[in-house]
Amino acid sequence: MRLTIVGQLKGQLTAATRIAMDRGAAVTHAETVDQAMRTLRAGRGADLIMVDVALDVRELIAGLEAERFHVPVVACGVDNDARAAVAAIQSGAKEYIPLPPDPELIAAVLAAVADDQRDLVFRDPAMIAVVQLATQIAGSAASVLITGESGSGKEMLARHVHQKSLRANKPFVSVNCAAIPEQLLESELFGHEKGAFTGASARRIGKFEEASGGTLLLDEISEMDVRLQAKLLRALQERVIDRVGGSKPVPVDIRVIATSNRVLADEVRRGTFREDLLYRLNVVTLKIPPLRDRPSDILELATHFAKKYAVANGMPVRPLSAEARAQIARGRFPGNVRELENTIHRAVLLASGPEIGAEAILSPDGGPMAPARTADAASRAAETAEMITRSFVGRTVADVERELILDTLGHTQGNRTHAANILGISIRTLRNKLNQYDEEGYAITPPQGGVAAA
């Protein structure tokens, strides 16, 4: 985790720095917004910026956007400065941390950023095979090509390769080749010298140099212009780059991972992608199956996202009802994991009651989610049952038992006697199990009226 703290290091901010370093963050300090921008231009990348609200937060965020530095910003300041806190959030800060610093709050913010970068969740055998291969080749220096449909999790798999590699403690830098205009992508990748073109008012270190020692992800590389592909090929072959407007080559030490939602061999035949670059990139190819071809991952991911967005929105963690799970298992999800994530995030916000019901599983326009196929009801039910059964594979009996007990208690609205009867166990056994789950930190559905129903 690379953290840049912007502001005067006096007292409370110094304490925040010390806490972050104790939690494993590599901390860089800049006293002013200008100094922070110079640090980023010099290639000292950041995964998170913490800025004192005494500085101009709006200016910092505007500068980051103008120069295409995609870094989340959190503001910090004395806890009674409510006006400054509101202004910082309105300016684009993701969070506000009151000072004096709370070690647990800072740890939570750092963990949230780290978790956003490491959410690789899978259970289906098809995905297990891909992850096993990724882990196997991670320790090598070979370039990797990751293919798959949009939203299938290519960047997450790339981060997994980096984290399992010998470069795990070095930077992981990502560039979305499809999101940056063609005329700016060369500068973004290779950097530029002052005066190299109109608007180049200072030297800017590119992503190749920023990632030196670590891993560079070229996301959706098929969108890169053929002319720029030639310069990229040279960088991969010779491990040197030329800044725009520069007079001498700059050595770099990186591992390149590229992703594409297209078949690059087809692009080679069309003349839009260089064949020699394809051979250089795909020393190892990892192909991620679409979500529809790994059904056991659907419910596993849904459960993960339900917990993640409940915590993120300050809401209680609630299980998915049996009806909701069946509806999700039937879903088509042409947008793959990204679409499923948005569906569950929406459901967490819309659901009422002790669990997330099927009525909260909606499409973006508020209508019911389209089923995967138009088969008759019987075959759909059989398919759903098979998906749910497959989702249990690889889980412990204790995990399945706990989920069954908590789901049943939710259906009975906290009535323990009814839940015990449905489960076929004694009320004493149920109470012992619930006490155990409560001690382990799991949410227990309270009985209606707040009194345990025996």
Side-chain angles (χ1 to χ4, degrees):
M1 167 65 68
R2 299 171 297 169
L3 171 65
T4 295
I5 294 183
V6 187
Q8 295 286 336
L9 282 183
K10 295 179 181 178
Q12 296 165 353
L13 205 54
T14 302
T17 303
R18 189 177 302 113
I19 292 168
M21 293 177 68
D22 289 344
R23 301 288 176 161
V27 179
T28 300
H29 174 237
E31 291 192 357
T32 65
V33 170
D34 285 343
Q35 187 178 345
M37 296 302 299
R38 288 197 299 272
T39 298
L40 292 172
R41 293 188 197 108
R44 299 179 188 175
D47 300 307
L48 178 68
I49 293 176
M50 185 183 297
V51 57
D52 190 339
V53 291
L55 301 178
D56 191 335
V57 179
R58 187 178 298 277
E59 178 188 356
L60 171 64
I61 292 176
L64 295 173
E65 292 176 350
E67 299 193 36
R68 303 176 305 284
F69 289 114
H70 303 293
V71 187
V73 175
V74 297
C76 57
V78 292
D79 53 8
N80 60 356
D81 195 351
R83 181 177 298 178
V86 172
I89 297 297
Q90 291 176 340
S91 297
K94 301 294 184 184
E95 193 61 76
Y96 177 79
I97 298 176
L99 299 175
D102 179 344
E104 295 307 316
L105 180 56
I106 289 179
V109 171
L110 295 177
V113 174
D115 287 345
D116 280 347
Q117 299 172 351
R118 289 197 286 265
D119 286 348
L120 184 61
V121 177
F122 58 95
R123 182 173 298 278
D124 195 274
M127 194 63 185
I128 290 174
V130 175
V131 176
Q132 286 176 340
L133 177 58
T135 304
Q136 178 181 333
I137 57 91
S140 72
S143 298
V144 179
L145 176 63
I146 302 176
T147 64
E149 295 180 3
S150 294
S152 58
K154 297 189 291 295
E155 181 172 350
M156 291 300 177
L157 187 61
R159 290 184 182 276
H160 174 81
V161 172
H162 172 71
Q163 289 152 14
K164 297 297 182 180
S165 74
L166 301 178
R167 299 171 179 264
N169 293 326
K170 298 296 183 179
F172 177 91
V173 178
S174 175
V175 181
N176 189 330
C177 300
I180 301 172
E182 177 186 325
Q183 63 272 23
L184 298 178
L185 184 56
E186 182 176 6
S187 171
E188 188 78 10
L189 290 173
F190 303 110
H192 62 255
E193 298 290 348
K194 181 179 179 179
F197 51 83
T198 302
S201 57
R203 170 188 279 185
R204 164 79 182 270
I205 297 301
K207 298 302 185 184
F208 266 85
E209 289 180 80
E210 183 182 332
S212 194
T215 302
L216 176 64
L217 171 63
L218 299 176
D219 200 13
E220 302 302 351
I221 194 171
S222 56
E223 304 301 320
M224 183 182 292
D225 181 73
V226 173
R227 182 191 63 82
L228 190 53
Q229 291 175 24
K231 190 169 183 177
L232 172 60
L233 180 63
R234 176 175 180 264
L236 294 178
Q237 289 175 332
E238 302 180 19
R239 300 295 168 177
V240 296
I241 56 105
D242 296 307
R243 297 192 195 114
V244 178
S247 58
K248 61 180 181 179
V250 179
V252 291
D253 170 26
I254 60 168
R255 183 198 203 156
V256 170
I257 301 177
T259 74
S260 176
N261 60 8
R262 302 185 187 182
V263 179
L264 291 184
D266 292 344
E267 300 304 311
V268 169
R269 286 190 287 271
R270 294 188 185 99
T272 60
F273 201 84
R274 293 179 62 107
E275 187 174 25
D276 47 4
L277 178 57
L278 174 58
Y279 292 147
R280 175 65 62 172
L281 288 172
N282 72 341
V283 176
V284 178
T285 298
L286 301 173
K287 184 175 182 179
I288 300 182
L291 192 56
R292 61 183 173 274
D293 291 342
R294 41 187 172 116
S296 295
D297 281 353
I298 294 177
L299 293 177
E300 185 73 13
L301 285 162
T303 301
H304 166 75
F305 291 136
K307 294 178 181 177
K308 173 181 176 178
Y309 286 109
V311 173
N313 289 283
M315 303 172 71
V317 176
R318 294 169 291 180
L320 292 158
S321 71
E323 293 84 359
R325 291 167 66 87
Q327 186 162 329
I328 292 166
R330 289 197 301 267
R332 208 170 42 219
F333 300 113
N336 290 293
V337 178
R338 187 179 297 123
E339 181 182 352
L340 174 61
E341 180 174 7
N342 291 340
T343 298
I344 301 302
H345 190 177
R346 187 183 311 115
V348 168
L349 300 177
L350 296 179
S352 58
E355 61 185 3
I356 300 172
E359 70 281 354
I361 310 299
L362 302 173
S363 63
D365 62 4
M369 200 171 61
R373 296 177 178 86
T374 58
D376 60 85
S379 62
R380 287 202 305 270
E383 182 180 336
T384 299
E386 181 183 357
M387 287 183 180
I388 293 175
T389 300
R390 286 184 65 187
S391 72
F392 292 143
V393 175
R395 304 175 69 181
T396 66
V397 172
D399 286 342
V400 175
E401 179 187 58
R402 181 182 61 249
E403 187 170 322
L404 177 60
I405 289 174
L406 294 179
D407 279 355
T408 303
L409 187 66
H411 279 294
T412 63
Q413 298 181 331
N415 189 308
R416 299 185 179 191
T417 300
H418 291 173
N421 290 336
I422 293 172
L423 292 165
I425 59 178
S426 69
I427 187 66
R428 174 179 291 182
T429 299
L430 178 61
R431 284 172 176 162
N432 290 340
K433 291 288 185 182
L434 294 178
N435 288 336
Q436 174 190 336
Y437 302 153
D438 185 55
E439 291 173 359
E440 293 173 352
Y442 292 95
I444 308 297
T445 302
Q448 286 193 340
V451 179

